């Protein structure tokens, strides 16, 4: 059976088919570019109408448990499905380890999972793009993460300030949980994962398609 796995995010639509990963911006997406499949499984954190007319798509929801994973949320279906899928994929790929899963995309999210599979909870905050567009008078689409301490013009002051804000909270979360647990594996995913990893002094695992991997894992468990 040829299954199709689709991850609809705020910025991009990604899919996995026959072992190949693909990605396009939401603005450029059409169901016409998706391959023909026997069954489609979908993770969607935004507008489901993007798949209007695409028949037999199964929209996955977060679960309270999955294999060793146990959600920290009292209402498990309120946990973003992308976070749920990223966590179960990370557990599958890096079993029996304390994990901090960081998704650096439109939103910046953190989820801590103990080696037992128990989810300790998470954080959600604006991603780099949202930060840079949060004040109209300073708005920028720059993806640079320049960590200089001070600037002598407004453009650089905004760029350096937002870069330092983003990287400071990421470094703080890693160090905080590493200190508490002693042993921690950091997994980075999302569109800004590579540029974030470049600025970190910590060893990290970059998994660009972690949500799709989790989606495939979850779908296969239904058979």
């Amino acid at each position: 059976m040829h299954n199709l796995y689709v991850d609809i995010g705020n910025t991009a639509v990604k899919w996995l088919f026959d072992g190949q990963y693909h990605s396009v911006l939401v603005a450029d997406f059409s169901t016409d570019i998706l391959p023909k499949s026997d069954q489609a499984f979908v993770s969607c954190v935004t507008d489901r109408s993007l798949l209007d007319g695409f028949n037999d798509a199964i929209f996955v929801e977060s679960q309270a448990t999955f294999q060793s994973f146990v959600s920290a949320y009292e209402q498990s279906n309120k946990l973003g499905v992308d976070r749920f899928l990223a966590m179960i994929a990370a557990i599958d790929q890096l079993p029996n380890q304390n994990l901090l899963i960081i998704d650096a995309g439109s939103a910046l999210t953190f989820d801590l999972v103990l080696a037992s599979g128990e989810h300790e909870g998470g954080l959600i905050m604006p991603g780099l793009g949202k930060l840079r567009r949060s004040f109209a008078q300073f708005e920028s689409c720059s993806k640079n993460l320049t960590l200089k301490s001070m600037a002598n013009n407004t453009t650089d002051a905004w760029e350096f300030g937002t870069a330092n804000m983003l990287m400071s909270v990421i470094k703080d979360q890693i160090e905080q949980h590493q200190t508490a647990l002693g042993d921690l594996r950091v997994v980075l995913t999302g569109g800004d994962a590579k540029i974030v990893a470049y600025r970190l002094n910590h060893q990290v695992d970059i998994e660009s398609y972690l949500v799709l991997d989790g989606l495939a894992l979850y779908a296969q468990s239904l058979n």
Side-chain angles (χ1 to χ4, degrees), residues 2-38:
H2 293 278
N3 288 339
L4 171 66
Y5 307 105
V6 184
D7 171 20
I8 302 175
N10 291 295
T11 304
V13 179
K14 303 174 184 178
W15 65 94
L16 169 63
F17 185 73
D18 277 352
Q20 299 293 316
Y21 297 95
H22 307 268
S23 178
V24 298
L25 294 174
V26 167
D28 299 326
F29 176 74
S30 164
T31 55
D32 295 337
I33 64 179
L34 293 176
K36 301 292 184 184
S37 63
D38 297 312

Side-chain angles (χ1 to χ4, degrees), residues 68-128:
S68 67
F69 170 78
V70 180
S71 178
Y73 273 41
E74 292 182 4
Q75 293 180 282
S76 59
N77 63 334
K78 299 297 185 184
L79 172 68
V81 67
D82 54 340
R83 292 167 60 198
F84 163 71
L85 293 170
M87 283 188 278
I88 66 171
I91 292 169
D92 181 67
Q93 294 170 15
L94 300 165
N96 305 312
Q97 298 188 61
N98 297 317
L99 302 171
L100 181 64
I101 297 123
I102 304 173
D103 190 332
S106 299
L108 175 65
T109 67
F110 301 85
D111 282 289
L112 182 66
V113 182
L114 301 183
S116 62
E118 185 175 352
H119 178 213
E120 293 288 278
L123 298 174
I124 307 171
M125 55 194 73
L128 181 62

Side-chain angles (χ1 to χ4, degrees), residues 142-178:
S142 171
K143 287 287 188 180
N144 293 332
L145 283 177
T146 305
L147 300 179
K148 293 181 180 179
S149 58
M150 294 294 169
N152 58 11
N153 64 80
T154 299
T155 299
D156 285 348
W158 182 242
E159 183 168 301
F160 297 174
T162 48
N164 276 284
M165 181 183 288
L166 184 88
M167 293 307 301
S168 292
V169 73
I170 292 172
K171 290 175 181 178
D172 177 72
Q173 284 297 303
I174 293 172
E175 290 166 5
Q176 177 183 321
H177 297 304
Q178 214 161 34

